[in-house]
Amino acid sequence: MGLSGLDIYKLLPKTNCKECGFPTCLAFAMKLAQKGAELSACPYVTEEAKTALAAASAPPIRLVTVGKGERKIEVGNEVVLFRHDKTFYHQPGLVIRVKDNDPHLGDVAAQASSYVVERVGMKLTLDGIAIENASGDAATFAKAVETAKANSTLPLVLMSSDATAMEAALKVAAADKPLIYAATPGNWSAFTELAKSYACPLAIRDSGDLSALATLAENVTKAGVADVMLDPGTRGLAESLATSVQLRRLALKKNFRLLGFPIIAFAGEGASSEEEEAIVAAQHIAKYAGIVVLDHFSPHVIYPLMTLRQNIYTDPQKPIQVSPGLYQVGEPKENSPLLITTNFSLTYFTVSGEVEGSGVPAWLLVADAEGMSVLTAWAAGKFDAEKIAKTVKTSGIDEKIAHKKLVIPGYVATLSGETEEELPGWQIMVGPREAVDITPYLKNVWKP
Ligand code: SF4
C-alpha cells in the first residue's frame, strides 16, 4: 500500500517550479504515487519529507533474505491478501529440520540440497536446512552446522534459544547469512546483539499473543535489527490459519509496521503424523508463510507441496507458457506422426511427456493460443481451424515429413472438416481427448 498522490503532495514544497520536469508539484506527486518518478528529481524536498516518504513508501511486509547466492530465500514484500487480486511474488521457502545430534544430518542435508524435480519446464527445489540445537550443547551445534555446510549449498536456519550455542554456530556460518531462530521475550536482548554483530536476519517468537509479539518486534527493531521474521507461536490448522490471516491483514489493511514481517511456520509441530504435517504445510503455503519448516523429508510429500506452491505463486493472469513452434519428441523421421496442441505449459508438457513415453518419435506443433489449454483456447476462439492451418504453414514442417497427416486433439474433433478446408491436401486425424490415451493411439491407430 503506497501513499496516494495527495498524501505525497502535502509533503512537497508546492512552488510549482517545474525543475523536476513536471508542470506542477501535484503532477509530480501523482507520478511518484504511480512509481513513475524518483523523489530525487525534486531538489527542494526537505529532509523531514524525505524521511516521511521513505518510511511511508516502504513495503507493508518487509522483504527478508535468508542465505546468499543463487539459492537464497527471499520472502515478504507481498501486497495482496488474495492471489486473484494481483500476484503472490515471493514463494515460501521449504526447509527441512534436522537435530544437531542426528547421525544422519549430513546425509539429510545432502539429499535436501540435491533434490530437484522438473514440472512444466521449471525446476522445483527445496530451500533450506534448519538445524535444531536438540543436544543443548554449543560445540555439538557448531559441529552440526559445519556438517550441514559441508554437505549442502542451502541456506540455514539456526535453531536454539541459548545465546552461547547460537554464537558458536554463527562463528561457523554467519558469512552465509543464516536465519537466527529465535529471539523470545526472555532472550531477545542477547539475540539482538548476535543478529547485529553477525549481520544476520532474526526470527522472533512468542506463544500466540500477537500484542506480545509486536512488543518483541518493537524491542528488536528499536535495538537496530531490521530483517525480522515472525513466529507467532500458534500451531495446528485452525489456530495458525487464524493467526496468519490476522498478521497479513494487520500488515496490509492496517499498515501495522511492527508486524509487517514474513512468517516462519513449523508444520510438524503439533501434527500427529507425516500426513497431517503435509496438510498443515499446504495451508501455510497458501496462507501466508514466508518459510515452512518440515520435520520429514519424503519426496512423496515434498513434490505435491512444491507443486502447490508453484501453482499459487504464479501470476494468475499469465498462464505459464511455452514458445509456439515445432518441437521434436525423440528423433522423428519423415514418416513420424505430426501432432498439434496449444502452448499452455501444462498441456505441452503433458502431451510431450505422453508422446515420449509411447516410444514413438513424433513431431509436435505448438500453436500460439496465448497460453491457454486446448478446450479453453477453442472456446475463446484462440485455437480454431485458421490458427491450426497458420501454425502448420509457418512451421516449415512440410519440408521435414513425407506425409500430410495432422493429428488434432480429440477435444476439438469438430474442427477437423474446417481444418481440411484451410489446409488443402492434408488429412486431419482426430487424436485422443486425453493425453493418457496418446500411447495406444500412436501405437495402434496412427499409420503414416
Ligand atoms: Fe514542485 Fe519540486 Fe517539482 Fe519544483 S521540483 S515543481 S518544487 S516537485
Side-chain angles (χ1 to χ4, degrees), residues 12-20 22 24-25 28 41-44:
L12 294 177
K14 305 186 195 68
T15 57
N16 300 334
C17 73
K18 301 186 178 58
E19 281 187 45
C20 56
F22 291 86
T24 62
C25 295
F28 180 60
C42 170
Y44 306 110

Side-chain angles (χ1 to χ4, degrees), residues 122-345:
M122 294 163 83
K123 286 192 163 47
L124 310 181
T125 57
L126 286 166
D127 306 281
I129 315 280
I131 301 163
E132 184 183 351
N133 183 209
S135 67
D137 177 62
T140 306
F141 192 37
K143 183 81 189 139
V145 171
E146 229 172 78
T147 307
K149 265 171 62 77
N151 286 281
S152 149
T153 54
L154 291 173
L156 299 176
V157 177
L158 307 179
M159 301 179 64
S160 178
S161 50
D162 173 43
T164 309
M166 186 58 75
E167 181 150 31
L170 283 168
K171 281 183 178 156
V172 176
D176 301 321
K177 304 286 169 217
L179 175 67
I180 300 173
Y181 178 96
T184 61
N187 70 13
W188 70 267
S189 184
F191 269 55
T192 301
E193 283 314 308
L194 287 175
K196 278 167 39 187
S197 19
Y198 288 93
C200 291
L202 176 66
I204 62 172
R205 184 186 70 224
D206 199 76
S207 49
D209 177 349
L210 288 192
S211 57
L213 191 68
T215 304
L216 191 52
E218 187 170 24
N219 288 338
V220 303
T221 50
K222 273 194 175 157
V225 177
D227 290 327
V228 174
M229 291 197 71
L230 307 176
D231 176 3
T234 44
R235 302 291 184 260
L237 282 167
E239 249 195 292
S240 51
L241 176 64
T243 311
S244 298
V245 171
Q246 205 179 347
L247 283 171
R248 176 72 70 106
R249 292 187 69 87
L250 279 168
L252 297 191
K253 299 293 178 196
K254 304 288 181 196
N255 209 12
F256 188 66
R257 296 274 162 194
L258 286 176
L259 295 177
F261 297 101
I263 300 167
I264 180 167
F266 292 84
E269 289 185 7
S272 57
S273 64
E274 192 177 350
E275 289 71 26
E276 194 179 326
E277 178 185 10
I279 293 166
V280 177
Q283 179 179 280
H284 281 302
I285 288 170
K287 290 178 182 288
Y288 289 110
I291 287 180
V292 181
V293 180
L294 298 157
D295 289 345
H296 296 89
F297 171 47
S298 305
H300 69 274
V301 169
I302 299 292
Y303 186 21
L305 289 176
M306 294 200 302
T307 302
L308 172 73
R309 179 178 66 170
Q310 184 189 31
N311 289 341
I312 290 175
Y313 280 77
T314 45
D315 186 343
Q317 291 169 13
K318 282 193 212 143
I320 315 172
Q321 308 182 19
V322 293
S323 303
L326 180 63
Y327 290 78
Q328 298 185 17
V329 184
E331 290 180 11
K333 305 277 187 307
E334 60 178 17
N335 280 325
S336 298
L338 170 66
L339 300 92
I340 189 163
T341 190
T342 63
N343 69 327
F344 177 44
S345 271

Side-chain angles (χ1 to χ4, degrees), residues 410-444:
Y411 275 117
V412 291
T414 178
L415 294 177
S416 61
E418 260 181 88
T419 309
E420 281 189 354
E421 280 172 29
E422 294 280 343
L423 285 171
W426 281 76
Q427 182 187 343
I428 305 303
M429 301 174 71
V430 176
R433 285 178 153 228
E434 302 296 341
V436 71
D437 296 321
I438 285 177
T439 296
Y441 179 86
L442 291 180
K443 289 195 162 161
N444 306 326

